[in-house]
Amino acid sequence: MKHPVFVLLSRQEWRQLIVLMGMVVVLTAVELAGIGGAGLFIQLAADPESMTRIPYVEDVFEYLGVDDARNQLLATLAALLIVTLLRNVISIIVLWWRLRFLHFTRRNLATRLMRSYLALPYSFYLRHNSAMMAKTILLEANEVVTRYLFAWVTLVTDGLMLVATMGFLFFIEPMVTLVSGAVVGVMSFAVAYGLRNRMRSLGALHRELNEKMFKVTNEALAGIKEVKVLGREESFATDFHKTASRF
């Protein structure tokens, strides 16, 4: 994780991120257990005698004292339901921790920015627009976490689950997995590469319009007395409407 956005994380936030990665590993293992259990249940339902050809399964049933084919099928179904329930519970916990991590990171980043600005000498404020500093604290910190950090965390966590799942399926059906993975991978890369420049330009435009709306709002409300005297209410409202429409 060498993306510049991760440089902003403190040690505490890195620890929270590592815990999140650990949770994702556990969730991935349970997910793979669910996939394998579903395949086992379908195979036993179609051919109960196939149990003898599946490594370790017969030993497990023998250890549990389940000899009848019907009971073996019911035991497999019960285990599959337990794994599915466990997966859902862990998924909720992972989602909660991920949102908690992003919320606290956003709060801490905005607080560090606030402290940095307050530590600057008064002469700094004479040369810079306080409205832009407020925008950086209130909006830019949120943008960094929401648009960049969240995207990278999602990419890493979902990518880990995808790689593990594809590896498991490759172990079971190598050729089908290779063909399916290649088709999906090529299509995904083509879409991402084709939209790359467009997304960059939209991102730059988004930031520009966001700054303009903030500037118009601040000028109108901070100078409300002059706006009223000069009768420029509609001018500011129209300017804001045009910018917001493009936004």
Side-chain angles (χ1 to χ4, degrees):
M1 297 183 182
K2 296 184 178 181
H3 194 275
V5 71
F6 291 100
V7 179
L8 301 174
L9 299 182
S10 64
R11 289 184 178 180
Q12 181 184 8
E13 290 155 0
W14 269 108
R15 287 194 293 267
Q16 293 178 349
L17 182 58
I18 292 173
V19 171
L20 175 61
M21 294 296 106
M23 290 181 175
V24 172
V25 171
V26 174
L27 177 61
T28 302
V30 176
E31 187 76 32
L32 295 181
I35 296 174
L40 176 62
F41 176 76
I42 294 173
Q43 186 171 352
L44 290 178
D47 182 13
E49 298 300 326
S50 64
M51 180 194 66
T52 58
R53 300 190 299 270
I54 303 175
Y56 307 112
V57 174
E58 187 176 11
D59 296 335
V60 172
F61 282 135
E62 184 177 350
Y63 176 79
L64 295 176
V66 182
D67 300 326
D68 183 69
R70 179 175 178 274
N71 291 333
Q72 291 172 352
L73 188 62
L74 292 177
T76 304
L77 177 60
L80 181 60
L81 292 176
I82 293 174
V83 170
T84 301
L85 179 61
L86 182 61
R87 181 195 62 187
N88 292 335
V89 171
I90 297 177
S91 297
I92 293 173
I93 295 175
V94 170
L95 177 61
W96 171 79
W97 187 268
R98 180 189 297 184
L99 296 177
R100 179 181 182 272
F101 164 72
L102 294 171
H103 168 72
F104 281 105
T105 301
R106 178 172 54 243
R107 181 203 64 183
N108 295 339
L109 180 58
T111 302
R112 292 203 299 267
L113 282 172
M114 184 69 175
R115 285 175 176 160
S116 298
Y117 279 128
L118 292 176
L120 294 171
Y122 180 73
S123 58
F124 175 84
Y125 294 91
L126 299 177
R127 301 189 306 269
H128 295 82
N129 190 338
S130 60
M132 291 298 102
M133 288 185 278
K135 172 182 171 295
T136 301
I137 296 173
L138 299 175
L139 298 180
E140 294 296 339
N142 182 68
E143 288 286 310
V144 168
V145 172
T146 303
R147 295 185 176 273
Y148 296 100
L149 184 59
F150 180 78
W152 274 97
V153 169
T154 302
L155 177 65
V156 172
T157 54
D158 291 357
L160 177 62
M161 294 189 64
L162 177 62
V163 170
T165 303
M166 292 296 292
F168 181 75
L169 295 177
F170 178 79
F171 179 76
I172 299 175
E173 289 289 347
M175 186 56 63
V176 175
T177 304
L178 281 177
V179 174
S180 302
V183 172
V184 174
V186 169
M187 293 178 62
S188 300
F189 177 79
V191 172
Y193 185 82
L195 296 177
R196 182 181 56 177
N197 293 331
R198 178 60 177 170
M199 295 302 294
R200 284 181 178 176
S201 62
L202 287 177
L205 179 62
H206 172 85
R207 179 169 183 173
E208 177 186 347
L209 294 176
N210 193 22
E211 290 181 352
K212 187 173 181 180
M213 285 195 301
F214 198 92
K215 181 180 179 181
V216 171
T217 303
N218 185 70
E219 290 177 351
L221 299 180
I224 188 63
K225 182 178 179 180
E226 291 79 6
V227 172
K228 290 289 186 181
V229 171
L230 298 176
R232 298 192 58 190
E233 297 94 330
E234 188 60 31
S235 176
F236 277 100
T238 301
D239 193 13
F240 182 87
H241 177 75
K242 289 180 180 179
T243 306
S245 297
R246 294 182 62 195
F247 185 80

